[in-house]
């Protein structure tokens, strides 16, 4: 508890700090202080401070206090929480949005603090007010809390207290309360009587045709969720007509939400009804004049595909998908391109290959040379996945040329996406098929002018090394990995160091000893102190993977020699390195070689060197 | 300060993008690369309207005879034919196709503009549906996704509409049609209906400022001529604004819509309807929280002041509203808020002033002490305003105690010499208003400081002053 505990009664404290506030809300405060401290119980003083802070002028203090609301409630006990604290909080609703957000969240967890499920309805008034404020974040949180506590209501309380609240919100004047109501229908519907159910359906219907688009959007976004709790007959009679109406709303922002609902609705209906009840609307959405709606269809394509089943997929979705891949808007094409793999995977097995080869692949081929780089890179991130579906021969004949084309793409993102998914191809045809084209692509990315591109390719090095094998690596890639160590950007040097460690883990200590350790240690004599430090960083990373033998015999002498470096940064990094590799060394080396050097560094003229030397001595217990 | 950005229905590459999106986002942090990049791609960008599968095969247009050469009996027919010819749409992203047809349509549109603006008696009843159909076909379209999803209207060049050579003339024509002395709203309202207006309003999101400018004038004319649509237009603007504030945080035409509203508010009858007051408090005031406030603040402040001039009793809730949404971290916005407050104070009634002076001057006192000199300067400029000075003088007993601490402190501490000079002048002005109170405040302030210093440093004085900051690990080191 951050408040000043033990500095006397809270009112006095606050009065001393902030006379204006005390003046303006004196009455309220008096009552509150009495609330907490009236029985002369000293243990409640901290609580009194918290309560005072609920009214403080400083938002941060009010916020802190609201976040400790459960502590206050616990101290007050269930009855006073119900009769005093909650009414007080209901009054607070005009406060800053941040405070309201915290309050809305807290109240969702308050059931036990007001006396359990029997009294949970006491929480409804403050949450009802919070569900009507303008700020979306606060309102959403209030609805979330209301949904949570609705589960704690008994069926009777749900009808007596909760459902009337939903009705009030649903018929509120201002759009905010009506949007909030949309999220509450589905939580109370399953647990109320059939008369009340009919009322709820009626309210939902009304909100779906509200004249405020914000409300229609809220209703459309909850349509799927509401459909799930309805009886199937009502889904067919009520929901379908609402769905159709929302899907042809005049505002595209409403129509696109109906696409989402389409997934849930299609899942609920028996297969034979889909064609008549859902498909006309879905076909219309896939051809909507607004690209946003088509984007949504593309974005939800896999879900839609699963929901409507294999037959409709074959007859309807395949042509729709082709159109989306050829859409006039790049945004839509990119969204569809992202789904190529999933869509193909989920095609019915009996006709999968035929559909892909005759319908999908021609579109994919066009996308490889799309004018928009986002489309190409979306495709590049999934296209490799097709090889597992199509098998070796098709991959070699049809996909390989596409991979190779993308590896030569002008946009580095496209090339990176191909390289980062090489493992899929490796499983099917082996990476060797690609290696001739791979190498120039990797080299080019490795030397890209943008350091973040270089960084990204470094991250794939261990994976590539594993798949290409040690010989290929030594021959073609080793030089690159070493070149990164002297990159002029620190982040690259750091990543390169880490990369070396992963390579050693893959290829083993012996390989390290023969190929990289000599080169790394050679850099210790470099005229540039940054490169000399890189030697130390590499040693830090490699010592464990290389083991005691190499560390003691080859690395340690270099580190010790560097303790005489004229640059202080190198010297204190020697101290840090010794601390790091110490655990790998045997105690003899520690005592006879490391200790004297650290002791010398501990008397260095430079403060930092001294500091790190002393730290190493104490960590390695050499004192 | 918004808690977080509201959910956005509009998909864009920022949300759908792949691995490298983090890169492009963080590249932005580095202002240097960004500027140089922008310079590199300085050439004007343009984009086609998102016409979804327009007519696939275009027949080439053939020129029709000039209207002025046609006998008057045939003119009406020819006019209709020309309107229908102009319903043909062309792809302007492809600059080489249909050159001949594009030119014919352009010439025809020019002729039509001329025809409706110079001739009387050409707007016969049968022309109305043809005209509105031609206009709708050409201008109503789904706006394409923004080329630049992080479009910053203040910094980036807008993407221009590629089909502008035609669209401009269509707008021009429509405007002349509305302004024609023979224009009859009673006939036109069958075609220019709610649905038409709704589509017109959606176009205000166009990134092309030339298009928004036309839309502004056109909507203004429609509002003026179609009484039956007024409430609907206001309500739809209301919805656009609410969506802008609470859902998308993005709409290109806010400034234009506010400009229209400014003149609408001007014409409100008194007493103001509840609906209008609600619009002020629940839409215009929260609009001050928007990220791109700078783009439309002038128009927004104008609307607010219009309201207050109509009904001074709204002053208190408006100022309290502004104080609630007062920017916490954005100095640029704070300067705008101060500007708006000054505009409000310019028209405030003294009785209203008394109601809000306390919370208002607490905020002003914080602004005066703001380390950002532009904020402090803007607040201090209030003391150059004769009317505000007179209000302060009338209420000096209330205001001086609120302002004194900040002013006195920054007169000693502010880093910026201009601010210190300004503060001296302000202090002098305030002292002249009530020198007794000023002296009392000075001595009690000094006493307070004395006490504070005692608590901070004990009796030994401020020994900490002048010691340089020590890096953390050295402190650790010394403490060992």
């Amino acid at each position: 508890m951050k408040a000043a505990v033990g500095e006397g009664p809270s009112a006095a404290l606050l009065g001393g700090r902030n006379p204006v506030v005390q003046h303006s809300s004196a009455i309220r405060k008096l009552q509150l202080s009495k609330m907490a401290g009236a029985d002369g119980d000293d243990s409640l003083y901290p609580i009194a401070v918290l309560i005072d802070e609920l009214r403080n002028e400083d938002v941060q203090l009010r916020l802190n206090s609201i976040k400790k609301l459960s502590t206050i409630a616990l101290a007050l006990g269930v009855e006073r929480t119900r009769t005093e604290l909650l009414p007080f909080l209901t009054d607070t609703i005009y406060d800053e949005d941040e405070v309201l957000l915290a309050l809305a969240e807290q109240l969702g967890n308050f059931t036990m603090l007001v006396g359990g499920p029997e009294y949970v309805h006491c929480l409804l008034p403050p949450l009802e007010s919070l569900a009507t404020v303008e700020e979306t974040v606060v309102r959403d949180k209030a609805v979330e809390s209301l949904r949570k506590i609705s589960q704690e209501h008994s069926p009777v309380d749900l009808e007596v207290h909760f459902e009337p609240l939903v009705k009030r919100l649903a018929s509120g004047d201002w759009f905010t309360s009506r949007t909030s109501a949309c999220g509450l229908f589905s939580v109370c519907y399953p647990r109320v009587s059939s008369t009340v159910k009919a009322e709820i359906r009626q309210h939902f219907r009304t909100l779906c045709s509200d004249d405020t688009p914000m409300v229609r959007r809220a209703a459309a976004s909850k349509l799927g969720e509401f459909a799930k709790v309805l009886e199937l007959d009502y889904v067919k009679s009520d929901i379908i007509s609402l769905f159709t109406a929302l899907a042809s709303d005049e505002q595209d922002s409403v129509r696109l939400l109906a696409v989402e609902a389409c997934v849930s609705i299609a899942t609920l209906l028996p297969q034979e009804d889909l064609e008549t009840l859902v498909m006309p609307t879905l076909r219309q959405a896939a051809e909507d004049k607004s690209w946003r709606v088509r984007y949504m269809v593309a974005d939800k394509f896999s879900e839609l595909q699963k929901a409507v089943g294999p037959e409709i997929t074959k007859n309807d979705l395949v042509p729709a998908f082709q159109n989306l891949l050829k859409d006039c808007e790049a945004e839509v094409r990119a969204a569809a391109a992202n789904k190529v793999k999933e869509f193909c995977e989920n095609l019915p097995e009996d006709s999968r290959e035929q559909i892909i080869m005759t319908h999908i692949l021609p579109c994919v081929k066009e996308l490889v040379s799309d004018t928009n780089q986002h489309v190409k890179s979306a495709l590049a991130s999934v296209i490799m996945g097709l090889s597992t579906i199509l098998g070796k021969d098709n991959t070699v004949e049809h996909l390989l040329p596409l991979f190779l084309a993308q590896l030569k793409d002008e946009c580095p993102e496209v090339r990176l996406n191909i390289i980062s998914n090489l493992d899929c191809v490796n499983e099917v045809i082996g990476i060797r098929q690609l290696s001739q084209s791979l190498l120039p692509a990797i080299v080019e990315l490795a030397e890209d002018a943008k350091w973040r591109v270089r960084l990204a390719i470094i991250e794939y090095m261990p994976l590539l090394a594993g798949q290409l094998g040690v010989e290929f690596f030594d021959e073609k890639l080793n030089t690159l990995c070493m070149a990164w160590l002297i990159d002029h950007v620190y982040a690259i040097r750091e990543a390169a160091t880490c990369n070396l460690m992963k390579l050693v883990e893959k290829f083993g200590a012996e390989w390290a000893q023969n190929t990289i350790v000599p080169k790394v240690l050679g850099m210790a004599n470099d005229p540039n102190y940054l490169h000399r430090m890189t030697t130390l960083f590499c040693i830090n990373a490699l010592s464990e993977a290389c083991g005691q033998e190499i560390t003691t015999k080859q690395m340690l002498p270099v580190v010790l020699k560097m303790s005489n470096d004229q640059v202080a940064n190198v010297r204190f990094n020697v101290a840090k390195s010794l601390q790091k590799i110490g655990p790998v060394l045997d105690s003899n080396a520690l005592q006879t070689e490391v200790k004297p050097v650290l002791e010398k560094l501990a008397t260095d003229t430079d403060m930092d060197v001294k500091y790190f030397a002393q730290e190493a001595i104490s960590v390695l217990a050499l004192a | 300060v918004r808690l977080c950005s509201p959910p956005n229905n509009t998909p864009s590459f920022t949300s759908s993008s792949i691995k490298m999106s983090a890169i492009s986002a963080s590249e932005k942090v580095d202002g240097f690369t960004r500027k140089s990049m922008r310079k590199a791609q300085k050439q004007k960008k343009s984009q086609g309207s998102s016409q979804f599968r327009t007519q696939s095969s275009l027949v080439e247009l053939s020129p029709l005879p000039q209207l002025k050469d046609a006998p008057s009996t045939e003119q009406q027919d020819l006019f209709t034919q020309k309107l229908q010819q102009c319903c043909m749409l062309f792809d302007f992203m492809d600059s080489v196709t249909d050159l001949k047809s594009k030119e014919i349509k352009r010439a025809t549109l020019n002729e039509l503009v001329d025809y409706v603006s110079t001739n009387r008696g050409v707007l016969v009843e049968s022309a109305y549906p043809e005209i509105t159909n031609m206009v709708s076909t050409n201008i109503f379209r789904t706006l394409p996704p923004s080329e630049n999803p992080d479009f910053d209207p203040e910094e980036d060049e807008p993407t221009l509409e590629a089909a502008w050579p035609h669209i401009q003339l269509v707008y021009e024509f429509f405007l002349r049609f509305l302004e024609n002395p023979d224009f009859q709203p009673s006939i036109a309202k069958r075609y220019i209906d709610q649905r038409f207006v709704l589509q017109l309003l959606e176009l205000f999101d166009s990134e092309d400022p030339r298009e928004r400018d036309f839309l502004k004038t056109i909507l203004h004319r429609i509002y003026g001529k179609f009484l039956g649509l007024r409430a609907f237009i206001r309500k739809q603007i209301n919805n656009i604004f609410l969506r802008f504030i609470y859902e998308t945080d993005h709409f290109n035409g806010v400034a234009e819509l506010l400009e229209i509203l400014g003149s609408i508010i001007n014409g409100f009858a008194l007493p103001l309807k509840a609906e209008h007051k609600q619009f002020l408090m629940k839409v215009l005031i929260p609009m001050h929280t928007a990220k791109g406030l700078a783009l439309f603040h002038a128009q927004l402040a104008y609307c607010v002041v219009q309201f207050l001039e109509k009904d001074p009793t709204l002053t208190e809730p408006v100022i309290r509203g502004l104080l609630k949404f007062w920017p916490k971290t954005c100095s640029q916005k704070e300067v705008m808020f101060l500007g708006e407050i000054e505009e409000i104070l310019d028209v405030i009634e003294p009785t209203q002033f008394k109601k809000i002076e306390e919370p208002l001057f607490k905020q002003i006192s914080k602004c005066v002490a703001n380390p950002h000199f532009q904020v402090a300067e803007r607040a201090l400029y209030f003391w150059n305003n004769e009317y505000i000075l007179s209000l302060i003088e009338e209420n000096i007993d209330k205001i001086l105690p609120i302002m004194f601490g900040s002013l006195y402190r920054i007169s000693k501490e502010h880093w910026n010499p201009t601010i210190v000079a300004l503060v001296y002048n302000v202090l002098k002005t305030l002292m002249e208003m009530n020198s007794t109170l000023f002296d009392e405040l000075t001595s009690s302030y000094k006493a307070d400081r004395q006490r504070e210093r005692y608590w901070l440093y004990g009796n030994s004085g401020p020994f900490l002053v002048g010691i340089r900051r020590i890096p953390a690990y050295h402190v650790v080191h010394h403490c060992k």
Side-chain angles (χ1 to χ4, degrees):
Chain A
M1 211 167 289
K2 184 175 157 285
V5 178
E7 280 189 49
S10 60
L13 240 180
L14 193 77
R17 249 198 329 255
N18 201 332
V20 187
V21 171
Q22 188 195 23
H23 180 71
S24 64
S25 59
I27 301 171
R28 179 107 260 163
K29 187 142 302 111
L30 251 172
Q31 185 199 338
L32 275 167
S33 302
K34 221 163 59 194
M35 251 165 80
D39 9 25
D41 182 353
D42 281 355
S43 66
L44 285 182
Y45 277 157
I47 299 301
V49 172
L50 276 180
I51 292 174
D52 270 342
E53 285 184 351
L54 286 176
R55 278 288 176 192
N56 196 292
E57 212 182 30
D58 184 346
V59 185
Q60 198 52 47
L61 289 179
R62 290 205 300 277
L63 197 57
N64 290 343
S65 193
I66 283 281
K67 284 181 177 161
K68 290 182 187 118
L69 208 56
S70 53
T71 315
I72 299 176
L74 209 58
L76 289 174
V78 292
E79 200 178 327
R80 298 181 74 184
T81 299
R82 286 199 301 268
T83 54
E84 292 172 63
L85 186 63
L86 285 178
F88 164 72
L89 292 173
T90 314
D91 285 355
T92 314
I93 304 302
Y94 67 87
D95 205 331
E96 297 256 347
D97 293 330
E98 263 162 288
V99 178
L100 297 185
L101 176 68
L103 179 59
E105 186 169 9
Q106 291 278 314
L107 291 178
N109 303 317
F110 243 56
T111 309
M112 290 325 286
L113 297 166
V114 292
E118 201 181 330
Y119 295 99
V120 67
H121 59 84
C122 299
L123 298 172
L124 296 179
L127 282 171
E128 182 175 352
S129 316
L130 287 168
T132 63
V133 302
E134 268 82 20
E135 179 52 58
T136 327
V137 186
V138 176
R139 220 163 57 218
D140 288 350
K141 189 56 88 181
V143 170
E144 195 186 310
S145 289
L146 279 170
R147 287 167 70 107
K148 207 164 163 185
I149 63 167
S150 73
Q151 304 306 320
E152 281 145 3
H153 281 71
S154 68
V156 176
D157 279 352
L158 207 62
E159 276 192 29
V160 176
H161 298 288
F162 197 87
E163 203 271 339
L165 168 143
V166 178
K167 264 194 263 179
R168 279 196 300 278
L169 288 176
S171 45
D173 280 339
W174 189 236
F175 80 96
T176 52
S177 77
R178 301 201 300 278
T179 51
S180 291
C182 292
L184 297 173
F185 294 120
S186 64
V187 289
C188 49
Y189 189 84
R191 296 172 60 212
V192 292
S193 68
S194 56
T195 5
V196 179
K197 278 184 174 176
E199 281 174 30
I200 291 179
R201 287 196 304 274
Q202 181 52 44
H203 276 294
F204 192 79
R205 252 197 310 273
T206 315
L207 293 183
C208 282
S209 53
D210 198 281
D211 66 344
T212 318
M214 282 77 74
V215 178
R216 293 203 304 279
R217 276 195 287 277
S221 66
K222 300 294 177 194
L223 183 65
E225 171 189 299
F226 189 54
K228 281 185 189 158
V229 298
L230 246 59
E231 297 81 356
L232 186 59
D233 283 347
Y234 291 121
V235 173
K236 287 188 196 172
S237 60
D238 282 29
I239 295 289
I240 295 296
S241 64
L242 296 175
F243 167 62
T244 318
L246 290 169
S248 42
D249 195 277
E250 61 201 2
Q251 304 243 341
D252 60 359
S253 54
V254 179
R255 294 202 300 276
L256 66 89
L257 291 168
V259 175
E260 270 187 300
C262 186
V263 176
S264 325
I265 294 172
T267 321
L268 294 170
L269 292 173
Q271 189 70 33
E272 64 269 21
D273 289 330
L274 287 177
E275 183 52 46
T276 48
L277 298 181
V278 175
M279 287 315 290
T281 310
L282 180 56
R283 279 187 209 111
Q284 176 195 320
E287 304 244 300
D288 197 284
K289 69 181 188 334
S290 163
W291 62 272
R292 291 184 185 85
V293 179
R294 302 196 306 274
Y295 172 95
M296 203 57 159
V297 174
D299 195 49
K300 298 275 165 231
F301 216 81
S302 307
E303 288 94 327
L304 288 167
Q305 184 188 6
K306 282 179 201 152
V308 297
E311 276 313 303
I312 295 180
T313 298
K314 266 194 266 182
N315 301 333
D316 277 280
L317 294 195
V318 172
F321 194 58
Q322 284 174 294
N323 283 336
L324 292 171
L325 289 173
K326 289 188 254 178
D327 198 276
C328 59
E329 286 303 339
E331 303 261 351
V332 179
R333 291 200 302 279
N338 255 323
K339 303 288 167 189
V340 163
K341 183 193 158 202
E342 270 182 78
F343 180 73
C344 293
E345 256 173 3
N346 297 329
L347 285 169
E349 228 165 294
D350 54 346
S351 49
R352 183 192 292 156
E353 191 173 322
Q354 181 258 328
I355 292 176
I356 298 176
M357 297 307 293
T358 54
H359 298 292
I360 306 298
L361 206 56
C363 302
V364 168
K365 278 183 184 156
E366 276 177 46
L367 290 184
V368 167
S369 48
D370 199 279
T371 49
N372 185 297
Q373 66 169 48
H374 296 286
V375 176
K376 286 187 290 186
S377 70
L379 181 70
S381 64
V382 297
I383 190 175
M384 312 291 271
L386 290 181
S387 48
T388 23
I389 305 172
L390 287 177
K392 187 170 175 181
D393 294 342
N394 280 327
T395 302
V396 173
E397 196 185 334
H398 298 284
L399 294 177
L400 202 55
L402 304 182
F403 299 159
L404 296 177
Q406 292 214 300
L407 271 177
K408 293 192 190 86
D409 198 278
E410 56 181 8
C411 165
E413 195 178 330
V414 174
R415 282 174 269 149
L416 260 180
N417 282 347
I418 290 288
I419 290 175
S420 58
N421 288 296
L422 278 175
D423 43 344
C424 323
V425 190
N426 195 29
E427 287 161 22
V428 182
I429 56 168
I431 210 165
R432 290 279 168 174
Q433 293 264 15
L434 276 173
S435 54
Q436 283 314 310
S437 313
L438 210 46
L439 195 65
I442 295 173
V443 172
E444 209 177 306
L445 288 170
E447 287 160 0
D448 197 282
K450 291 201 181 74
W451 66 266
R452 288 186 180 85
V453 174
R454 301 201 294 278
L455 186 65
I457 189 74
I458 294 179
E459 280 168 17
Y460 294 113
M461 269 300 150
L463 180 80
L464 284 169
Q467 285 166 0
L468 292 165
V470 67
E471 276 167 46
F472 187 92
F473 184 87
D474 281 346
E475 199 179 315
K476 317 275 189 188
L477 299 179
N478 197 10
T479 346
L480 278 182
C481 290
M482 300 315 288
W484 282 321
L485 287 175
I486 51 170
D487 197 285
H488 61 273
V489 175
Y490 176 75
I492 299 296
R493 297 199 298 273
E494 192 188 25
T497 313
C498 180
N499 174 45
L500 285 187
M501 180 180 78
K502 288 183 187 151
L503 290 174
V504 174
E505 281 166 3
K506 235 180 194 97
F507 294 150
E510 197 184 328
W511 173 82
Q513 193 177 4
N514 295 328
T515 50
I516 60 169
V517 171
K519 289 185 190 166
V520 164
L521 296 181
M523 282 165 56
N525 300 317
D526 197 288
N528 185 335
Y529 84 100
L530 291 172
H531 297 172
R532 298 202 294 279
M533 294 212 307
T534 304
T535 299
L536 291 170
F537 298 146
C538 286
I539 289 175
N540 294 347
L542 294 178
S543 63
E544 207 168 316
C546 286
Q548 196 183 58
E549 167 97 12
I550 299 177
T551 307
T552 319
K553 295 237 170 82
Q554 300 189 17
M555 295 177 175
L556 183 61
V558 175
V559 178
L560 296 174
K561 196 171 146 230
M562 288 170 89
S563 67
N564 297 317
D565 201 290
Q566 78 239 21
V567 177
N569 298 51
V570 177
R571 293 201 301 278
F572 77 66
N573 271 298
V574 165
K576 281 168 134 181
S577 283
L578 289 172
Q579 179 183 334
K580 181 87 208 275
I581 66 173
V584 186
L585 304 169
D586 62 39
S587 61
N588 184 32
L590 274 176
Q591 288 299 331
T592 59
E593 299 184 64
V594 174
K595 191 176 172 189
V597 169
L598 281 177
E599 276 168 351
K600 193 183 78 180
L601 289 175
T603 60
D604 201 282
T605 48
D606 187 276
M607 249 182 164
D608 298 320
V609 179
K610 273 201 253 184
Y611 172 74
F612 286 110
Q614 279 169 353
E615 191 180 74
I617 290 173
S618 76
V619 170
L620 295 173
L622 295 173
Chain B
V1 177
R2 304 293 305 274
L3 292 169
C4 73
S5 56
N8 189 343
N9 286 335
T10 314
S12 68
F13 283 121
T14 32
S15 58
S16 67
S17 192
I18 347 290
K19 299 214 162 63
M20 304 276 284
S21 65
I23 293 171
S24 52
S26 42
E27 247 165 18
K28 297 245 163 60
V29 177
D30 186 345
F32 292 101
T33 53
R34 201 184 175 196
K35 269 212 181 96
S36 57
M37 270 165 60
R38 199 179 309 127
K39 274 199 185 122
Q41 42 173 252
K42 195 78 187 194
Q43 83 274 28
K44 290 252 189 231
K45 289 178 294 177
S46 67
Q47 62 186 168
S49 40
S50 178
Q51 300 283 12
F52 182 56
R53 278 169 232 157
T54 43
Q55 310 99 314
S56 43
S57 63
L58 289 165
V59 236
E60 198 167 288
L61 292 184
S62 48
L64 295 164
Q66 292 271 306
L67 277 162
K68 64 175 189 303
D69 299 338
S72 55
T73 45
E74 286 166 28
Q75 266 193 356
Q76 208 41 249
D77 253 3
L78 190 58
F79 181 47
T80 311
Q81 278 179 44
K82 288 190 179 240
L83 284 169
Q84 283 164 353
Q85 198 172 44
C86 289
C87 288
M88 179 86 82
L89 302 178
F90 298 95
D91 180 4
F92 273 82
M93 290 310 278
D94 189 342
S95 53
V96 290
T97 58
D98 308 316
L99 283 179
K100 198 166 148 239
S101 297
K102 281 178 187 168
E103 176 50 30
I104 291 173
K105 178 170 170 181
R106 198 193 58 79
T108 311
L109 282 168
N110 259 324
E111 197 194 349
L112 290 175
V113 171
D114 197 47
Y115 186 66
V116 291
S117 40
T118 53
N119 293 324
R120 294 294 306 261
V122 296
L123 296 184
V124 295
E125 194 165 338
S126 64
Y128 283 78
E130 297 293 344
I131 290 174
T132 35
N133 180 44
M134 191 278 278
V135 171
S136 315
T137 314
N138 276 282
I139 65 171
F140 292 157
R141 62 207 194 275
T142 307
L143 294 168
S146 178
E147 291 275 290
N148 173 5
D150 310 312
F151 177 67
D152 176 353
E154 281 175 79
E155 292 211 6
D156 300 336
E157 285 285 329
T159 312
L160 300 176
E161 172 56 54
W164 191 244
H166 285 173
I167 291 192
Q168 173 180 19
L169 293 169
V170 175
Y171 277 122
E172 187 78 48
F173 169 76
F174 188 41
L175 196 55
R176 296 295 168 85
F177 164 65
L178 292 170
E179 287 171 349
N180 188 303
D182 297 334
F183 177 78
Q184 290 188 47
S186 53
I187 302 173
K189 73 178 181 192
R190 267 176 264 158
Y191 312 103
I192 299 178
D193 53 5
Q194 295 193 346
R195 196 167 161 64
F196 186 94
V197 167
L198 199 61
Q199 295 183 77
L200 199 67
L201 281 167
E202 274 175 21
L203 292 175
F204 275 84
D205 195 20
S206 167
E207 228 174 85
D208 194 329
R210 302 168 302 182
E211 177 163 24
R212 296 200 306 268
D213 206 51
F214 264 114
L215 287 164
K216 183 178 70 186
T217 323
I218 287 172
L219 186 67
H220 196 249
R221 295 287 175 280
I222 293 181
Y223 190 88
K225 291 181 192 288
F226 296 83
L227 302 185
L229 286 172
R230 288 187 175 180
F232 180 79
I233 292 175
R234 286 199 308 270
K235 197 160 114 197
Q236 293 310 321
I237 294 181
N238 201 13
N239 288 342
I240 289 177
F241 284 171
L242 287 168
R243 179 163 192 227
F244 167 70
I245 304 167
Y246 294 114
E247 293 182 12
T248 59
D249 212 13
H250 177 88
F251 191 84
N252 289 315
V254 175
E256 284 81 3
L257 290 176
L258 281 169
E259 209 176 315
I260 299 171
L261 277 168
S263 68
I264 293 179
I265 297 166
N266 210 337
F268 281 164
L270 286 172
L272 289 177
K273 288 187 198 158
E275 169 212 335
H276 300 326
K277 290 186 190 171
Q278 190 183 46
F279 176 71
L280 171 67
M281 294 315 298
K282 298 216 167 187
V283 181
L284 291 185
I285 299 298
M287 222 154 157
H288 287 82
T289 59
K291 198 170 58 185
L293 180 66
L295 292 164
F296 54 82
H297 181 255
Q299 290 84 350
L300 180 59
Y302 178 78
C303 287
V304 171
V305 172
Q306 288 293 304
F307 262 113
L308 299 187
E309 286 201 276
K310 285 263 162 197
D311 182 355
T313 61
L314 291 167
T315 311
E316 187 185 353
V318 162
I319 290 190
R320 286 194 187 276
L322 289 177
L323 292 174
K324 179 180 171 191
F325 294 127
W326 201 270
K328 296 196 171 57
T329 53
C330 181
S331 307
Q332 193 206 1
K333 264 193 179 180
E334 217 170 338
V335 172
M336 289 184 250
F337 269 59
L338 285 164
E340 186 168 350
I341 291 286
E342 180 162 0
E343 282 183 54
I344 293 174
L345 290 178
D346 264 331
V347 300
I348 202 169
E349 288 183 356
T351 45
Q352 296 299 325
F353 182 80
K354 284 193 198 312
K355 290 186 191 162
I356 44 83
E357 57 184 357
E358 192 180 307
L360 179 62
F361 275 83
K362 272 188 191 163
Q363 183 57 56
I364 294 175
S365 140
K366 279 186 209 157
C367 293
V368 160
N370 196 304
H372 195 304
F373 79 98
Q374 285 173 337
V375 176
E377 188 179 54
R378 187 66 192 84
L380 290 164
Y381 279 164
F382 283 13
W383 274 263
N384 292 344
N385 182 315
E386 287 298 326
Y387 183 60
I388 298 180
L389 269 186
S390 72
L391 291 168
I392 294 177
E393 184 155 22
E394 270 172 52
N395 301 283
I396 188 73
D397 302 350
K398 277 272 170 50
I399 292 171
L400 189 51
I402 299 172
M403 295 298 301
F404 186 83
S406 287
L407 288 171
Y408 196 89
R409 187 164 56 79
I410 53 165
S411 74
K412 306 257 183 263
E413 288 174 9
H414 205 282
W415 62 273
N416 184 303
T418 318
I419 297 299
V420 174
L422 280 170
V423 167
Y424 270 115
N425 282 333
V426 169
L427 280 172
K428 193 163 150 279
T429 316
L430 291 172
M431 185 170 73
E432 283 161 6
M433 286 178 184
N434 185 342
S435 56
T436 338
L437 179 58
F438 193 91
D439 290 344
E440 274 170 32
L441 288 166
T442 314
S443 47
S444 73
Y445 180 85
K446 282 182 177 161
D448 278 355
R449 285 302 294 253
Q450 202 67 45
R451 241 195 330 273
E452 245 173 62
R453 211 167 289 140
Y454 178 82
W455 283 113
L456 266 180
Y457 311 120
N459 293 326
S460 52
F463 66 91
L464 280 173
V465 177
I467 291 185
R468 71 190 165 97
R469 228 179 122 238
I470 309 160
Y473 64 82
H474 284 163
V475 174
V476 174
H477 179 45
H478 283 297
C479 291
K480 279 195 174 188

